[in-house]
Amino acid sequence: MVAYASLSSGPVHADELLTRERLLLAGVKAFSASGFDGVSVREIERQAGVNRGVGGYHFGSKEQLWKGCIDWLMAGCHAEMQRYSDLLQVVAE
């Protein structure tokens, strides 16, 4: 399976998406527990069960990984809001 992350980045294979999601999940857990300064990319890679350097490959830096985690969480919140948008309209009126 091949997906497209964006028009400029080219194709992304399913295993790369899985790895990226594992890093995001581990990052959210680590940043939530220890804060930005309390965790390293290496620790997040360990928690995600990926090889060293994979975090840098997918995100480039710890700050970009952190921003990716925030974007991932917000996308989930947005999806939930969309899911309940009809109900929220009734409640708001």
Side-chain angles (χ1 to χ4, degrees):
M1 176 177 150
V2 176
Y4 287 87
S6 73
L7 295 176
S8 62
S9 65
V12 178
H13 295 279
D15 58 336
E16 290 180 17
L17 290 174
L18 245 158
T19 298
R20 184 177 175 85
E21 189 163 283
R22 287 171 61 188
L23 285 164
L24 290 169
L25 181 58
V28 166
K29 289 179 180 178
F31 290 132
S32 295
S34 303
F36 182 83
D37 292 329
V39 69
S40 67
V41 173
R42 181 64 196 131
E43 179 58 32
I44 293 169
E45 290 169 334
R46 260 190 238 119
Q47 290 179 15
V50 300
N51 292 330
R52 186 175 185 145
V54 172
Y57 169 79
H58 283 279
F59 296 97
S61 69
K62 180 178 169 181
E63 183 176 346
Q64 288 303 113
L65 174 55
W66 179 80
K67 288 178 180 180
C69 289
I70 300 301
D71 289 343
W72 188 62
L73 286 171
M74 294 307 295
C77 291
H78 179 72
E80 281 296 302
M81 294 296 283
Q82 291 296 95
R83 186 172 158 206
Y84 294 108
S85 64
D86 291 340
L87 179 61
L88 291 172
Q89 284 291 340
V90 172
V91 172
E93 292 176 359

